[in-house]
Amino acid sequence: MFVWRKRASAVWLAANEAPLREIGGQRLAIISRPDRTTAVAEIASSSRLDLEKIHFRFGGTIKKLPRDWLKKFSRSQKSEPLKVGNRLIIYRSVASKNRRRNKNRSLLIPAGAAFGTGEHPTTAMSLRLLERCTRFWGGQAGSLHSPEKEWTLLDLGTGSGILALAGARFGAKRVIAIDDDPVAIATARENARRNKLDNIDFRVADVRRWPFSPRIEILTANLFSELLIEILPKLKRAQRLILSGILREQEAEFVRALKRNGIAVVETRRRGKWIAMVCSGVARTSCAQHRTFCPMH
């Protein structure tokens, strides 16, 4: 396992985050602190050759990680947990006492090398949209309604598996999570094991070639805009789509692509230069069911 790192200014990151995300996808992590004027960009890969291409274009350094890199990172990281509505808290540290008291409403996603823990705006917005879309479905202790609705989540570009694991916590009966990076899938499986979630099917696959089933209630895709547009004809088979990884400057083009594919925008959220959307796919049913499915309709 190898990791590419570059410490850079906010100006450099603003200019280069989008092309880095196109290359690294969910593997890209931006690590910053309020008291620092610089941040660190990281991308992990099992192939040093892949990272050499990034190094040639963007500079930085490449380091080989020890076999127990994930365990060491989880011990060394300390940060505030991420709260997602009133139903989920995401911790980065195994030492958190509060987590042990709220296991059914929490996730432990240790900070690893270039795999998301929920801080990036695209992931944080997706998590909160997913929480809202499933809030009234039951299937979780303390949910607002007791009747349980069975539903399936498909997570594209799963990275650390954070959206897939959140979906399982929110009551999904089945979760399918795919990524084209074997290291990401291995990390996501370890995160599922750590959180004792066994209803997630992690697979190494290319989203362009994935055979999309029409029986997907929610699809999450935190990918770059060009790839999302390319696969929209397949994505629209889901009832609800939570899409992120889109820059504000790409919003108009992306909305036009949604309209061409008969996909309606239900809600748009913006944070910094990034946007995330909840959309209604063509596999939808009645309006009444829409409101139950996603109360923001």
Side-chain angles (χ1 to χ4, degrees):
M1 176 95 174
F2 301 88
V3 61
W4 167 85
R5 287 193 182 101
K6 182 177 177 66
R7 183 175 295 278
S9 67
V11 173
W12 189 94
L13 287 170
N16 291 280
E17 184 175 353
L20 278 170
R21 184 161 291 276
E22 289 185 16
I23 297 169
Q26 282 283 79
R27 295 180 298 157
L28 174 66
I30 305 295
I31 304 165
S32 61
R33 295 179 182 176
D35 58 338
R36 301 285 178 89
T37 58
T38 60
V40 176
E42 293 185 348
I43 296 176
S45 176
S46 57
S47 169
R48 187 182 182 99
L49 182 61
D50 288 344
L51 298 182
E52 290 287 1
K53 297 174 183 176
I54 298 172
H55 175 261
F56 179 79
R57 180 174 174 183
F58 298 99
T61 60
I62 298 173
K63 180 182 178 182
K64 185 175 181 179
L65 296 173
R67 288 176 180 265
D68 59 346
W69 62 273
L70 188 57
K71 187 180 295 184
K72 289 183 177 180
F73 269 90
S74 66
R75 285 200 302 261
S76 65
Q77 295 297 319
K78 293 181 180 179
S79 69
E80 291 297 316
L82 175 69
K83 188 176 181 181
V84 184
N86 293 318
R87 297 166 63 202
L88 185 66
I89 301 175
I90 299 172
Y91 297 94
R92 294 173 66 187
S93 170
V94 297
S96 173
K97 295 179 180 178
N98 291 331
R99 177 182 172 269
R100 291 195 289 271
R101 293 197 295 266
N102 300 287
K103 285 189 175 181
N104 292 331
R105 291 171 175 252
S106 70
L107 289 173
L108 172 63
I109 311 288
F115 292 108
T117 57
E119 285 103 341
H120 193 277
T122 59
T123 309
M125 287 189 291
S126 295
L127 284 166
R128 292 185 170 97
L129 290 172
L130 179 60
E131 189 277 329
R132 281 194 69 188
C133 274
T134 61
R135 189 179 296 172
F136 295 89
W137 280 13
Q140 186 194 49
S143 60
L144 299 183
H145 288 188
S146 57
E148 191 169 319
K149 175 182 175 65
E150 292 192 0
W151 55 282
T152 298
L153 169 70
L154 174 61
D155 182 30
L156 306 181
T158 196
S160 66
I162 190 168
L163 289 170
L165 271 63
R169 278 285 189 258
F170 293 149
K173 289 300 177 184
R174 186 186 181 207
V175 180
I176 304 167
I178 71 173
D179 201 295
D180 62 0
D181 182 4
V183 177
I185 290 297
T187 303
R189 283 177 177 150
E190 174 62 19
N191 284 331
R193 184 201 62 76
R194 181 180 287 108
N195 289 280
K196 296 181 171 56
L197 292 169
D198 57 7
N199 63 331
I200 306 175
D201 183 4
F202 292 106
R203 304 189 191 182
V204 179
D206 185 341
V207 297
R208 297 177 179 89
R209 297 178 176 85
W210 182 257
F212 288 79
S213 166
R215 302 186 64 180
I216 298 292
E217 281 73 29
I218 299 185
L219 180 149
T220 54
N222 185 6
L223 304 166
F224 60 90
S225 175
E226 291 80 2
L227 179 55
L228 286 172
I229 290 174
E230 181 182 341
I231 60 177
L232 279 179
K234 295 182 178 181
L235 302 189
K236 67 183 181 183
R237 298 175 192 174
Q239 291 182 24
R240 273 291 187 266
L241 296 80
I242 298 175
L243 309 175
S244 61
I246 308 147
L247 290 165
R248 286 199 186 207
E249 62 200 45
Q250 300 168 329
E251 182 175 357
E253 178 188 1
F254 191 75
V255 170
R256 287 194 293 269
L258 292 173
K259 289 180 179 178
R260 286 197 302 269
N261 285 277
I263 300 172
V265 177
V266 177
E267 179 177 342
T268 301
R269 289 196 178 192
R270 298 171 178 85
R271 184 173 164 188
K273 61 186 177 182
W274 298 100
I275 67 170
M277 296 178 174
V278 175
C279 301
S280 180
V282 297
R284 53 189 183 267
T285 51
S286 70
C287 288
Q289 287 174 307
H290 277 184
R291 294 187 188 99
T292 303
F293 188 91
C294 200
M296 61 190 74
H297 183 79

